[in-house]
Amino acid sequence: MAEQGKPKFAFFEGKIVPIEDAKISVMTHAFNYGTGVFGGLRGYWNDDENQLFVFRPHDHFERLTQSASLLRINVPHSVPQLVGILNELLRTEGFRENVYIRPLAYKSTEMIGVRLHDVDDEITMFAMPFGRYVEKEEGLHVGFSSWRRVDDNAIPARGKITGAYANSALIKSDAVLAGYDEALVLNEDGHLAEASAANLFIVRKGVVYTPPVESNVLEGIVRRSLITLMRDELGLDVVERNVDRTEVYIADEMIMCGTGVQVAAVTRVEHRAIGSGQMGPITRKVRDLFFDVVRGRVDKYREWLTPVYENVTAK
Ligand code: PMP
């Protein structure tokens, strides 16, 4: 599990407060019924520029707002306002290292009653120093989960809904306790969906395939970014289509991606090697490029980054 620090502050009930004061009640609706939606962003520290870059915050807050609307949660701030709140929070913390950011919009009324209407909403946000989410980013050993990914007609996987993460937690713990680093999850159709909290790509004969957005996956922001980088910078064919379980067994490479796992190589599935059993060349290229992009080293993709500090002078 990741090296993670502790937040000192949180945005809570409309202002930045010490983290000790950001508390909810045992009666809070979201705590009882899983009626919250959340995001997960990363900020990358660039030592040469003395700058903290947040990766695609506008896209993350747009998705948070969409997840909220699925649960009838009203977010009382626009996307640019949310980016502003985040920047203020990060400056208050004064981070000069890599961080993980967690915004959460939730049903806040202290009451009993399963419903979405006529319940109040709140939004909170905190951030903390953060390293890796999975230890072995260079070579993950995974197994197919016996759990299925939540279906769009049960709890939409396209929304990042707190209650749905019981599904992810079952998937993750059963995989880890069985000796794997992570799990591959099939949807109710039997096609590949995603990992417990990350999207997937496979490579076959130089072509990259990824499950489409209608296959019960989160519409991942790293997934979308890698599709752009692979097509536009590496000149690869990337095809969004259903992926069968057995295609994983015969794939040349497999990539797991997300804000937490970043860009990780999957090199073994159960008792089989994927390709050579080592990180493959396409995975390595796109992973290196991704880490350059998030640290602001590729001019063309600086627009994906929001700098936190103003008026910094490069060292
Ligand atoms: N799928 C699930 C279920 C997730 O929780 C995450 C992490 N947010 C992802 C995929 C990857 O999404 P993103 O690239 O936006 O972090």
Side-chain angles (χ1 to χ4, degrees), residues 60 63 149 160 165 168 194 196-199 218 220-223 257-259:
H60 275 280
R63 186 176 69 195
R149 193 74 184 107
K160 221 168 145 52
Y165 278 71
S168 294
E194 51 189 345
S196 69
N199 294 110
L218 185 75
I221 289 160
V222 178
R223 172 187 181 279
C257 74
T259 300

Side-chain angles (χ1 to χ4, degrees), residues 134 136 139-146 171-184 245 249 256 266 268-272:
V134 287
K136 301 189 203 139
L140 292 168
H141 183 192
V142 301
F144 280 99
S145 182
S146 58
I171 291 161
K172 178 79 179 200
S173 283
D174 282 352
V176 170
L177 297 177
Y180 299 117
D181 301 312
E182 250 294 341
L184 307 181
R245 171 189 187 126
Y249 294 148
M256 188 179 290
V266 183
R268 281 193 78 74
V269 53
E270 292 154 3
H271 47 279
R272 298 159 194 261

Side-chain angles (χ1 to χ4, degrees), residues 67-218:
S67 293
S69 81
L70 288 173
L71 278 203
R72 302 178 69 101
I73 295 172
N74 175 43
V75 179
H77 309 281
S78 65
V79 166
Q81 283 170 339
L82 290 167
V83 176
I85 292 168
L86 170 58
N87 278 354
E88 196 189 333
L89 176 68
L90 294 174
R91 282 190 217 127
T92 309
E93 289 274 10
F95 290 126
R96 296 172 58 83
E97 60 205 307
N98 297 337
V99 298
Y100 184 86
I101 302 139
R102 165 56 45 82
L104 233 163
Y106 60 99
K107 293 280 171 200
S108 59
T109 305
E110 297 173 17
M111 60 169 280
I112 297 295
V114 182
R115 61 170 196 256
L116 296 175
H117 62 283
D118 296 339
V119 188
D120 292 336
D121 310 314
E122 271 297 343
I123 179 155
T124 184
M125 217 184 284
F126 57 88
M128 63 231 221
F130 209 80
R132 287 187 172 203
Y133 179 72
V134 287
E135 246 358 277
K136 301 189 203 139
E137 280 180 15
E138 292 83 1
L140 292 168
H141 183 192
V142 301
F144 280 99
S145 182
S146 58
W147 298 98
R148 290 291 175 268
R149 193 74 184 107
V150 282
D151 190 78
D152 196 53
N153 293 303
I155 307 179
R158 116 170 353 94
K160 221 168 145 52
I161 297 170
T162 57
Y165 278 71
N167 179 238
S168 294
L170 288 165
I171 291 161
K172 178 79 179 200
S173 283
D174 282 352
V176 170
L177 297 177
Y180 299 117
D181 301 312
E182 250 294 341
L184 307 181
V185 195
L186 306 178
N187 56 30
E188 290 291 354
D189 297 345
H191 291 115
L192 189 65
E194 51 189 345
S196 69
N199 294 110
L200 298 166
F201 292 87
I202 60 167
V203 181
R204 294 187 63 192
K205 295 200 184 308
V207 179
V208 183
Y209 301 92
T210 192
V213 291
E214 70 270 27
S215 59
N216 293 313
V217 299
L218 185 75

Side-chain angles (χ1 to χ4, degrees), residues 206-208 227 229-238 282 286:
V207 179
V208 183
I227 292 174
L229 294 176
M230 288 193 277
R231 283 185 181 149
D232 296 357
E233 305 308 315
L234 305 181
L236 293 164
D237 273 344
V238 183
I282 290 178
V286 72

